[in-house]
Amino acid sequence: MIQLLINRIWQSLLRLLLQRITLVLTLMLCVAIAIAISNMSRLSSSLIESQAVQNAALNIQSLTQAFDLYSAAAADRAKLVPGITVTHAYLNTKGAIPLPSTFAIELGEQISEKNAEMSVRLYSNYPYPWRTKGGAKDEFERDALNFLKENPRQKFYRLEKKNGNTTLRYAQASLMKASCVTCHNTDATSPKKNWEVGDVAGAWEISQSLDNLVTKTNQSLQGTFAMLGGMSVLGLSGLTLVVGKLRENSRNLEHRVKERTTDLAEANTELEKRNQLIRQVFGRYLSDTVVANLLESPEGLKLGGERRKITILTSDLRGFTALSERFPPEEVIHILNLYLEYMADVINHYQGTIDEFMGDGILVLFGAPIAKEDDALRAVTCACAMQLAMGGVNEKMKTLGWPPLEMGIGINTGEVIVGNIGSEKRTKYGIVGSQVNLTYRIESYTSGGQILISEQTFKEVGSSIKIIGQKQVQPKGLSQTITIYEVYGVGGRYNLYLPKEEELFLPVPQEIPLLYTILDDKQMGNPVFYGRLVKLSAKGAELQVDIPNEVPPKLTNLKINLFISKNSAQVSEDIYAKVLEKPTIRGNFYINFTSVPPSLIAQFDNLYKIISQKSN
């Protein structure tokens, strides 16, 4: 409704302008001429002032040079000749010549008498008693002496208007020379006897009338204005002839525009419906930024990619595969949807691009399709927020009668190929490169609740994140070890920290025999090892192997089965765990449970409660 009203108002204004185009052009031309005249007048005034100041400075420079020449070549040399006296009263003294300052004052008076438009004056704050007119006689001269005393190397001038006449008054410092200092400081009649070389002795002033310059300039401008007016009339006449033809063309175009506007409105409606449908369909599978990139960029749907430095985050639920085997498919999907809904909200909050849901795993990009300076920091902050959000997930799980979930997160920064991958019929926005595989490897070293980042990501985020430890690992496919860091929080404006829980391992009353196998990429290895559970914690245990050399490598995944009794070969359901780096005695190692059957959870909880009470 508002858009329609705006269109009608605009069309009415356009028609009015077309009907009165000659009047509009005339008014615009008059305004332009007025602006031009104003600017030219202002420019001419500025030029007159600048030229007058320059002329005054040159005149004072000439007077100063004459003063210096007379002082050095005449007065100073005459003092050495017998019979010649240098005095202010030279007219009344036989064989006398004037003092340099007397010479300068009288030179200025003669110039002023012979030039009606310019006057020259030399004055001081310390005139000799016989110089009745040697001091400042008005406000300008007092201001000039005060200013030049503080700024002897600068100029002081002012434009004064009186009785319709404009006068430039320009003053410049007269500095005390070495040849004059002794004379002034030793003369009994001198009003000041502590002169130093470079002191401001007085001020030269040039007063010049600008009226003649202004009159000549205005006469020149009048001719220019007349020429502009004539050219404007000729131009306006030509425009009037053209306007008639333009009006005719305008009527034809208006009719065509109405037809095309109707067609475009229908096409835009259809296009908006199509884009809305695309957003609804693709928005369920891609992030808003990827969908916007596809819709707004004509090249967005083309196959291919570009090399770009991004930060990759991948997460995975610990022991979810074993958990899913114990629940009906419908409940597994319900659990997954609950977990992914929480995680997707957090990821979107920190502007991550969800590239893929892989069962219980999530692949998130920071820096694609839109790169930002803080991609790495937002990725680590997002990981902390995701781990904190697991508290809400597990509260829901507990309400629904399901076991709690634990998640591990790996983060890496590096160059990948990012773009549209697939065929013309089926395309996926994704990433390819060795850095993606490295991110998955880093995530595989995590236990539930952990965040591990690569060294490159650590360098990108700097001191903003808080590290609880670091370790050297050699992921599969790499020829050398790398350093990974465990994050427990982010400071600064985000201020997110994971809760620190010190795990307490307590000895069990009776060792529990068991067997275990090592999982390689979630595939069971062939060897079977035997040992005993000797200590228990809320989330893990300490195991002891029968053969000390058979302690599994740190950070490996295990499948464990407890023997029902010492003399029985019957074993419990599968328990999955990860070997920790926590040091202990030879032949022992610590584990963190990643998946425990419900029946054993209750048994472990009950046992840990009993031994905790005994230890207290």
Side-chain angles (χ1 to χ4, degrees), residues 437-574:
N437 298 331
L438 178 58
T439 309
Y440 284 118
R441 296 296 181 191
I442 292 171
E443 182 273 323
S444 70
Y445 291 118
T446 62
S447 300
Q450 269 191 323
I451 301 170
L452 296 179
I453 65 173
S454 68
E455 187 169 7
Q456 186 59 40
T457 302
F458 179 71
K459 290 178 179 178
E460 290 284 330
V461 296
S463 60
S464 299
I465 64 170
K466 307 303 177 183
I467 300 299
I468 200 173
Q470 64 185 67
K471 60 190 77 175
Q472 296 284 325
V473 296
Q474 185 172 0
K476 184 179 291 186
L478 292 185
S479 59
Q480 57 188 8
T481 60
I482 64 170
T483 304
I484 56 178
Y485 301 84
E486 182 178 356
V487 177
Y488 77 88
V490 179
R493 59 193 175 99
Y494 292 111
N495 197 33
L496 289 179
Y497 294 92
L498 304 183
K500 289 184 179 180
E501 299 177 0
E502 186 172 353
E503 205 163 357
L504 185 62
F505 290 84
L506 300 174
V508 295
Q510 185 175 357
E511 295 178 351
I512 303 173
L514 55 82
L515 60 86
Y516 67 87
T517 55
I518 296 175
L519 301 178
D520 185 13
D521 283 342
K522 300 189 178 181
Q523 301 294 322
M524 284 188 296
N526 291 324
V528 176
F529 303 94
Y530 295 89
R532 293 163 299 284
L533 189 153
V534 296
K535 290 183 180 180
L536 188 66
S537 74
K539 294 184 178 180
E542 182 179 353
L543 306 186
Q544 186 178 74
V545 294
D546 291 343
I547 303 174
N549 292 334
E550 293 180 349
V551 172
K554 295 174 181 178
L555 303 179
T556 54
N557 296 308
L558 306 179
K559 182 180 79 70
I560 303 171
N561 297 96
L562 306 179
F563 285 105
I564 301 300
S565 64
K566 283 188 176 181
N567 301 322
S568 172
Q570 188 177 359
V571 295
S572 68
E573 295 182 70
D574 296 338

Side-chain angles (χ1 to χ4, degrees), residues 363-424:
L363 178 62
V364 186
L365 315 180
F366 290 85
I370 299 173
K372 296 184 178 180
E373 290 184 359
D374 62 341
D375 286 329
L377 180 59
R378 281 187 293 104
V380 177
T381 308
C382 179
C384 293
M386 290 170 67
Q387 290 290 15
L388 293 173
M390 289 300 293
V393 173
N394 285 326
E395 285 181 8
K396 289 272 189 179
M397 295 285 289
K398 184 177 181 180
T399 302
L400 297 171
W402 294 331
L405 301 176
E406 287 191 317
M407 173 180 65
I409 298 176
I411 301 175
N412 179 37
T413 302
E415 283 194 349
V416 296
I417 303 298
V418 57
N420 296 320
I421 303 168
S423 66
E424 293 293 339

